[in-house]
Amino acid sequence: LEWKVLRQFQRMYGESLEIMRDVTYVLAVNTRRIAEACAARHDYHAFEYCVRFFNTFIRQGIAKRDTVTVHNVLHQYRQLCASVLSNDEELVKLIAQRKRKAVNEGV
């Protein structure tokens, strides 16, 4: 279910970049909320999808040179990391692994 919702978020995010920044912000907030819910129920697979989509949102924003949107997405990403940092070390490792992979791939 999370995958389908996040794919719709990605489509809406791509269409609203540079045009409707408030929509991209709401999508980032809701992606964080989904990820926090996944973390609370220890659904690591769905949580990983959320992290991947955060990376996709950042990559799309950078490609469009939309710094305001990228900043907003990174803020939500930071809030997600802060919320799981105190709760689950496995999720923190997962986030770190995904960030290393994203950096190595040129995001």
Side-chain angles (χ1 to χ4, degrees):
L1 179 64
E2 288 88 357
W3 176 257
K4 289 181 180 183
V5 171
L6 291 169
R7 290 294 287 172
Q8 290 298 318
F9 279 9
Q10 181 184 2
R11 187 180 58 79
M12 289 186 289
Y13 183 89
E15 292 173 1
S16 58
L17 269 173
E18 297 178 330
I19 300 167
M20 296 179 285
R21 288 190 174 131
D22 54 333
V23 172
T24 60
Y25 182 72
V26 169
L27 293 170
V29 168
N30 287 324
T31 301
R32 176 182 52 83
R33 288 180 178 167
I34 292 170
E36 288 173 341
C38 293
R41 65 178 193 265
H42 302 287
D43 185 352
Y44 298 130
H45 190 68
F47 183 84
E48 184 177 359
Y49 281 140
C50 294
V51 171
R52 290 166 108 181
F53 277 93
F54 264 120
N55 291 338
T56 299
F57 293 162
I58 293 167
R59 184 174 46 251
Q60 287 179 329
I62 290 171
K64 293 280 191 173
R65 300 192 189 288
D66 190 347
T67 57
V68 173
T69 300
V70 171
H71 179 268
N72 289 336
V73 172
L74 286 171
H75 176 69
Q76 293 303 314
Y77 207 159
R78 184 195 60 77
Q79 285 187 318
L80 173 63
C81 292
S83 72
V84 299
L85 190 63
S86 61
N87 296 329
D88 196 336
E89 192 171 315
E90 284 298 314
L91 291 176
V92 174
K93 289 178 185 177
L94 180 66
I95 292 171
Q97 177 186 17
R98 277 281 158 203
K99 289 310 293 175
R100 276 193 298 276
K101 184 177 180 184
V103 168
N104 290 338
E105 291 177 358
V107 172

